[in-house]
Amino acid sequence: NAGVTQTPKFQVLKTGQSMTLQCAQDMNHNSMYWYRQDPGMGLRLIYYSASEGTTDKGEVPNGYNVSRLNKREFSLRLESAAPSQTSVYFCASSEGDGHNEKLFFGSGTQLSVL
Amino acid sequence: EDQVTQSPEALRLQEGESSSLNCSYTVSGLRGLFWYRQDPGKGPEFLFTLYSAGEEKEKERLKATLTKKESFLHITAPKPEDSATYLCAVQAATNAGKSTFGDGTTLTVKP
């Protein structure tokens, strides 16, 4: 019973490098989300997808792109990493369209940009 | 703009010492208030959803309550395994599907 799986768990980048964070869920959920969490702070929404083929910006979308590859997978891409993007990234999913729904989270990706 | 403020930032309790965590919110039409527990190095785990003022939910030593302006997470006779960061989040009618999180309260329960 995997739930939400994120890869990689840890990553170190140099400023200007690009990378893609992968997320997959096996619960047949419709909605998927990317959040970032900075030390001592709550989660801030980067992007979310209410269904396959749709994406929408969250609170902090600048510097990121997303792809909802299919119902299971939702990837987050950093085209040119900056030190300000050093954070822990969490992928989450919810059953329906996201309204009033609890979120199921992955275990996170710790990203450091030097 | 939706806002969620949690207090205190950190709380240290002795085992068995009951207390409460606070979550104050400002939203345009509350659709739901959520409590999550987050252990170090892990993703948040869902605890409760509250929808309307006066509602209460319980799970083991935890009870969540909701008013029109705030929610409380009451912890009765806590144990060391209750140590974690507790996050509050809201969904507003004008921001459907997007949860706004507070910064969390880190609870430490000493044996």
Side-chain angles (χ1 to χ4, degrees):
Chain A
N1 192 10
V4 178
T5 303
Q6 292 183 235
T7 55
K9 292 190 183 299
F10 302 94
Q11 183 71 49
V12 179
L13 295 177
K14 293 181 180 179
T15 299
Q17 286 185 319
S18 63
M19 79 159 296
T20 299
L21 280 64
Q22 306 287 352
C23 175
Q25 51 91 9
D26 63 1
M27 296 173 284
N28 200 35
H29 285 177
N30 286 321
S31 295
M32 297 185 73
Y33 311 78
W34 277 105
Y35 283 88
R36 62 177 286 173
Q37 186 175 39
D38 299 309
M41 297 178 68
L43 295 111
R44 292 183 291 170
L45 182 65
I46 304 171
Y47 271 95
Y48 87 109
S49 170
S51 63
E52 184 179 350
T54 67
T55 61
D56 197 4
K57 295 180 180 179
E59 184 184 353
V60 288
N62 291 344
Y64 305 96
N65 286 302
V66 290
S67 295
R68 183 74 183 269
L69 304 170
N70 48 55
K71 191 172 185 179
R72 289 186 65 248
E73 299 173 289
F74 189 37
S75 63
L76 179 71
R77 183 162 178 83
L78 288 70
E79 290 290 352
S80 179
S84 61
Q85 293 179 305
T86 293
S87 188
V88 181
Y89 291 84
F90 288 100
C91 178
S93 69
S94 66
E95 186 173 359
D97 60 6
H99 294 200
N100 285 346
E101 294 177 342
K102 61 185 180 183
L103 300 175
F104 295 79
F105 286 88
S107 58
T109 295
Q110 189 167 328
L111 175 67
S112 295
V113 183
L114 306 177
Chain B
E1 182 181 333
D2 303 333
Q3 286 193 324
V4 179
T5 302
Q6 292 187 246
S7 61
E9 288 186 14
L11 182 62
R12 297 171 68 91
L13 299 174
Q14 287 295 130
E15 184 172 1
E17 180 186 1
S18 302
S19 188
S20 297
L21 283 57
N22 177 263
C23 171
S24 298
Y25 62 89
T26 305
V27 297
S28 299
L30 180 71
R31 295 286 294 267
L33 184 141
F34 301 79
W35 282 98
Y36 293 86
R37 170 190 170 128
Q38 184 175 24
D39 292 303
K42 296 189 177 180
E45 183 178 344
F46 171 78
L47 292 173
F48 304 108
T49 308
L50 301 167
Y51 295 105
S52 57
E55 190 175 1
E56 298 184 354
K57 296 242 177 110
E58 286 190 68
K59 179 181 179 180
E60 297 180 354
R61 295 177 292 282
L62 300 177
K63 183 169 80 171
T65 62
L66 181 65
T67 72
K68 289 186 177 180
K69 293 184 178 181
E70 58 191 348
S71 176
F72 291 93
L73 186 65
H74 306 278
I75 304 177
T76 302
K79 297 181 177 182
E81 53 262 42
D82 295 323
S83 298
T85 296
Y86 291 87
L87 298 169
C88 172
V90 297
Q91 284 195 16
T94 55
N95 215 11
K98 301 178 185 179
S99 297
T100 300
F101 282 81
D103 291 346
T105 293
T106 299
L107 172 66
T108 304
V109 182
K110 295 289 190 180

